[in-house]
Amino acid sequence: MQKTETDSVIDRLRTLIEQHYVFPDAAAAISARLAGAAAGYPADPAALAAAVTADLQAVNGDLHLRLLHHEEPQPERAEQDEAAEYAAMAEWAERTCGGVAGARRLPGDVGLLEIQPLIFPAALVGDVYAAALTLLAPTRALIVDLRGCLGGEPSAVALLMSYLWDHEPVELTGTYERATDRVRQSWTSAHVPGRRFGRTKPLYVLTGPATFSGGEALAYDVQQSGRGTLVGERTRGGAHPREAFRLHPHLEATIPVARAVHPATGANWEGTGVLPDLPVPADDALPTAYRAALAQVAATDGPSATEAETALRKGTFLSFSV
């Protein structure tokens, strides 16, 4: 790259950070740092991306602030790209059963809902969530596996949480947007299609180091509302929605433009991840949660309790190791 190109990239990046970064005070400091270092940045695009990323993250440690290098040239973004991206998301959801990797009843009347790779937008797969939760609604305890959930869309997180709650709405994690200088609230729904699992029966949510973004939001809301027990490992720690900006055919900036805000804590899981209530290796999370769920069902009355007691006695939970 020529010096003029490098200067242009840095100038444009500074402007974008000042205009869009969710933390304005940090944005000013980051912009000043880039300006002070601009003369010494390398001309090679890959080296430039690495050097600039280090400076972007040096002020407040935000790992989502990055200058990415692409080996292949990236095209300019056109207006129709948003429709194309939505179509690609819909096709991905179609290929992965709407993100519902599994919905089944385990011995002992315990339900298991596996969500991966994403909590897809409710507008795309709301019917899939309704079908899965309606199927599992009669079970006496439920395990929601988010260990392979790499992200999700806020309205879909609220929809899933609605099936785990009752008719009286509860406020969930919202999103502060710098562009509007307000928090976009998120609530459970008073009505959902199909049947609810409800808020009183035992609920276990499995987490691991791959659990990210929207998956973390669901886990965090379950934990902060006291709705269930998190089992597994600390999640990855991403609570800042980002936008991507093309600065050069081979360089793209990612800038957080919003941040998650829980109404009770005023905080989120950015950088720290969501800590499980019952820490165990992620590979052991399912048998651990299943055994705990069986114990709770066994402590009740009726045929389900007898079935759960039998599953505990036989060690059925030991066969679930992934």
Side-chain angles (χ1 to χ4, degrees), residues 6 25 53 69 100 112 116 136 140 148 172 236 240 261 293-294:
T6 303
D25 291 344
T53 295
H69 174 256
V100 176
L112 174 62
Q116 64 172 329
L136 296 171
R140 301 292 295 274
L172 307 173
R236 188 174 164 192
H240 293 167
V261 181
L294 286 172

Side-chain angles (χ1 to χ4, degrees), residues 206-221:
L206 312 185
T207 62
T211 310
F212 191 59
S213 187
E216 293 177 288
L218 180 56
Y220 192 79
D221 282 334

